[in-house]
Amino acid sequence: QNYSQDADIYSWFFGDGSSTTETNPTHTYSENDSFLVTLISGNAHGCYDTSMQWINVDFKYGLYVPNALTPENGPSATRLFTPKGVGLESYHIWIYDTWGNLLWDSDKISETGSPLESWNGYYHDELLPQDVYVWKIEAVFKNGVVWKGKEYQNGRIKNTGTVTLLR
């Protein structure tokens, strides 16, 4: 917020390489960090003042893992097994069958820290049978917090779980 008095010239520097000359700008940061925001305000008489303020950006973070997919039926959102996350720094998911065979894995995340890939229920180009499959996830958020896992109804938290493929 700009509290300058008797000024009509403004230069904002947001600490992330961006700037503006707007009076009361809005700025969006794309990563967690501390940024030194600087406002230089002045007037036509050559009177200038500088104000600086540290801004700490700590995005919300989280990871939600669904428990089912329906590759052949239903809305498009249920046809894929897609964990939803935000603020991830690192992420790896593995999906196994009942006998412990690795069916699929991914470690790809977007710049905003969201998983980029989904499992479609296939293995070697063949749709798997209706069954329960096991997933395991290891993840760390951009703020350094390690994802401990999904919280279950009994209060236990585990970084493994199951996904049911329905046909």
Side-chain angles (χ1 to χ4, degrees), residues 149-162:
K150 183 174 178 175
E151 184 172 352
Y152 292 90
Q153 289 180 348
N154 62 7
R156 292 187 61 192
I157 298 174
K158 297 173 25 179
N159 71 336
T160 59
T162 60

Side-chain angles (χ1 to χ4, degrees), residues 22-78:
E22 296 176 39
T23 304
N24 282 302
T26 300
H27 184 68
T28 303
Y29 291 94
S30 61
E31 60 187 68
N32 294 333
D33 208 342
S34 294
F35 300 93
L36 181 61
V37 177
T38 303
L39 168 61
I40 301 171
S41 56
N43 61 29
H45 302 290
C47 184
Y48 286 87
D49 196 7
T50 302
S51 177
M52 296 188 284
Q53 175 79 38
W54 281 99
I55 302 292
N56 294 313
V57 178
D58 188 13
F59 294 114
K60 292 184 178 183
Y61 58 92
L63 183 59
Y64 166 77
V65 185
N67 62 6
L69 75 153
T70 58
E72 299 173 305
N73 302 301
S76 60
T78 66

Side-chain angles (χ1 to χ4, degrees), residues 15-135:
D16 64 352
S18 59
S19 62
T20 185
T21 56
E22 296 176 39
T23 304
N24 282 302
T26 300
H27 184 68
T28 303
Y29 291 94
S30 61
E31 60 187 68
N32 294 333
D33 208 342
S34 294
F35 300 93
L36 181 61
V37 177
T38 303
L39 168 61
I40 301 171
S41 56
N43 61 29
H45 302 290
C47 184
Y48 286 87
D49 196 7
T50 302
S51 177
M52 296 188 284
Q53 175 79 38
W54 281 99
I55 302 292
N56 294 313
V57 178
D58 188 13
F59 294 114
K60 292 184 178 183
Y61 58 92
L63 183 59
Y64 166 77
V65 185
N67 62 6
L69 75 153
T70 58
E72 299 173 305
N73 302 301
S76 60
T78 66
R79 290 179 179 239
L80 298 172
F81 174 74
T82 309
K84 305 289 185 196
V86 65
L88 291 164
E89 178 70 28
S90 65
Y91 162 86
H92 200 133
I93 182 169
W94 299 266
I95 296 181
Y96 300 93
D97 65 14
T98 306
W99 299 274
N101 298 308
L102 179 63
L103 304 174
W104 179 82
D105 75 307
S106 175
D107 62 357
K108 294 178 176 52
I109 54 176
S110 69
E111 289 183 16
T112 60
S114 298
L116 284 174
E117 296 182 323
S118 303
W119 182 50
N120 60 7
Y122 283 74
Y123 179 65
H124 290 306
D125 297 324
E126 194 169 314
L127 183 58
L128 293 168
Q130 180 167 306
D131 203 347
V132 176
Y133 298 89
V134 176
W135 58 260

